[in-house]
Amino acid sequence: MSRPRVVVAGLGDSGLLTAIHLARHLDVVGVSSKPELVSGQELGMRLTRPDYWAKDYRVSFDRYRRLDRVRRIHGTLTGLDPDAKTVAVELRDGTSHTEPYDVLVISTGVMNGFWRRPTLQTSEEIAADLRAAHERLVAADSVIVVGGGAAAVNSAANLAATWPGKRIDVYFPGERAVVNHHPRVWRRVQQRLTDLGVGLHPGHRAVIPDGFGCDRMTDDPVHWSTGQPPATADAVLWTVGRVRPNTGWLPEELLDEVGFVRVTPELQVPGRPEVFAIGDVAATDLLRTSARNRADRLLARNIRAHLAGRALRPYEPPRGRWGSVLGVQDDGLEVFAPTGQAFRFPRWSVDVVLRDLIVKRGIYKGVRR
Ligand SMILES: Cc1cc2nc3c(=O)[nH]c(=O)nc-3n(C[C@H](O)[C@H](O)[C@H](O)COP(=O)(O)OP(=O)(O)OC[C@H]3O[C@@H](n4cnc5c(N)ncnc54)[C@H](O)[C@@H]3O)c2cc1C
């Protein structure tokens, strides 16, 4: 008897992990616009130390042992027919392919700035993009980072730590940055940024020029709707959190009013129990936290329970945002709990314990060198 087929739509951070959990039990097909994992995490490290970043965040699918059993389709999802239970995929040669499913996982994530784009790309095109962004910053003597989220402060800290000779300034609208984290996190991050010589400019709300999607670095003066004189730098990095869900390929009835996929606490699409969603595209809670809170394990269990007629379990989002903010630095990795408390992993332990044992073996169940 053939095994039920699960189509995982989008093999980013969450889709990849979900496919890994299900591969031994079900017939899994993964559809991805990239031929490898290209994570949206750790923007600062990606821009300043792209080769080091790539060790963990840009990984060929062939290296994941558990993906050996997953059939992969390199293409762009263009449509879903929920009654026929099929997805349509446009392949690189322009032809169209229809893939049937018993269960569908929607994990197509969001677009954000220039570093998270759903475009169909080869490995060479991805490498060229990464290199171009790095070289743009190498050539700049001064950089303005616009925005106050984790991507902004992460970028500013990494730029200042990697290139102490450059002038780095971060401008954000509120009194403090990282407002979705516990206030203690900002106190700690502010201290680190000040120690690194980053200029902090609270109370600055940037005017986003008409028609500009914040999807590339610029070098024009930045104007402020909060009244301050314009600011200039050789490169302006727009990290303003203007995320847009990659859901243009889905019927509107599946989406909420801002275009994210509606889900029940069990991560099922209401009225379509065989369709699940996870990650940044899934409207689980206000901060859409199911990727960072590793709901992939719960989702895999729920899919198997659904197919076996067993009860499903709910996803319970934590109250506050947690995790690393500045990423790996020379003195190690600092991770914040939802209470704002900081835990530090010493630098020596990051590569050996965190990367090799916990991440590669524990989380991904084996990654080839
Ligand atoms: C292990 C782990 C640790 C994390 N730690 C942190 C942390 O410390 N701090 C923090 O803030 N966050 C953390 N996160 C979360 C992270 O910031 C994001 O939330 C996460 O990268 C989002 O994953 P995603 O799968 O939803 O989206 P993505 O990784 O963006 O994946 C979506 C994929 O779908 C593809 N796609 C989109 N549209 C289409 C289409 N039409 N056709 C084909 N493919 C398409 C995209 O190209 C992409 O490959 C963590 C996540 C994980 C898994």
Side-chain angles (χ1 to χ4, degrees), residues 156-158 160-162 164 168 191-198 326 329:
N158 281 283
T162 309
I168 313 296
Q191 186 61 55
R192 301 276 308 204
L193 291 170
T194 307
D195 292 348
L196 286 163
V198 174
L326 301 185
Q329 300 295 319

Side-chain angles (χ1 to χ4, degrees), residues 28-296:
V28 181
V29 179
V31 183
S32 173
S33 52
K34 318 283 178 199
E36 52 199 26
L37 172 71
V38 187
S39 174
Q41 292 186 58
E42 297 296 348
L43 178 61
M45 191 200 293
R46 167 174 168 160
L47 293 170
T48 55
R49 292 169 285 161
D51 295 335
Y52 186 72
W53 173 85
K55 286 185 182 186
D56 293 321
Y57 297 110
R58 178 181 172 218
V59 183
S60 164
F61 290 141
D62 297 331
R63 290 180 50 206
Y64 295 97
R65 292 185 192 283
R66 286 274 180 94
L67 280 196
D68 290 352
R69 304 172 193 224
V70 172
R71 180 157 62 84
R72 298 192 302 269
I73 301 173
H74 183 196
T76 300
L77 292 143
T78 53
L80 161 66
D81 183 337
D83 295 326
K85 296 191 191 167
T86 57
V87 292
V89 184
E90 188 179 308
L91 304 177
R92 204 165 162 82
D93 61 7
T95 58
S96 189
H97 170 84
T98 302
E99 189 66 35
Y101 64 81
D102 297 300
V103 168
L104 175 66
V105 174
I106 300 170
S107 48
T108 39
V110 297
M111 262 182 268
N112 195 1
F114 60 85
W115 65 97
R116 285 183 75 183
R117 317 288 304 165
T119 40
L120 188 63
Q121 281 185 307
T122 61
S123 200
E124 292 71 28
E125 288 164 341
I126 294 165
D129 269 6
L130 293 169
R131 188 59 46 200
H134 174 68
E135 278 165 10
R136 176 94 163 77
L137 292 166
V138 169
D141 289 329
S142 54
V143 183
I144 285 177
V145 180
V146 184
V153 296
N154 178 294
S155 300
N158 281 283
L159 286 162
T162 309
W163 295 303
K166 296 187 197 291
R167 195 189 85 215
I168 313 296
D169 289 282
V170 53
Y171 292 81
F172 46 94
E175 274 173 36
R176 68 176 179 103
V178 287
V179 289
N180 290 323
H181 290 74
H182 193 281
R184 262 193 251 168
V185 176
W186 172 237
R187 287 204 287 276
R188 177 84 189 121
V189 168
Q190 184 181 27
Q191 186 61 55
R192 301 276 308 204
L193 291 170
T194 307
D195 292 348
L196 286 163
V198 174
L200 298 177
H201 306 270
H204 285 69
R205 185 173 290 280
V207 177
I208 297 175
D210 276 347
F212 175 52
C214 300
D215 50 1
R216 62 186 162 82
M217 282 183 243
T218 54
D219 54 10
D220 299 324
V222 184
H223 295 265
W224 312 104
S225 63
T226 33
Q228 299 88 346
T232 50
D234 295 335
V236 180
L237 190 61
W238 294 83
T239 45
V240 290
R242 275 204 168 176
V243 298
R244 273 176 297 149
N246 294 321
T247 50
W249 61 284
L250 293 171
E252 270 183 26
E253 77 223 35
L254 270 55
L255 308 179
D256 69 9
E257 57 291 347
V258 278
F260 291 84
V261 181
R262 288 186 292 123
V263 283
T264 66
E266 292 74 24
L267 305 177
Q268 275 169 313
V269 171
R272 296 281 176 188
E274 71 285 1
V275 182
F276 293 77
I278 186 167
D280 291 358
V281 80
T284 45
D285 54 303
L286 215 56
L287 297 176
R288 295 182 287 267
T289 57
S290 64
R292 85 200 58 220
N293 292 309
R294 299 291 323 281
D296 44 274

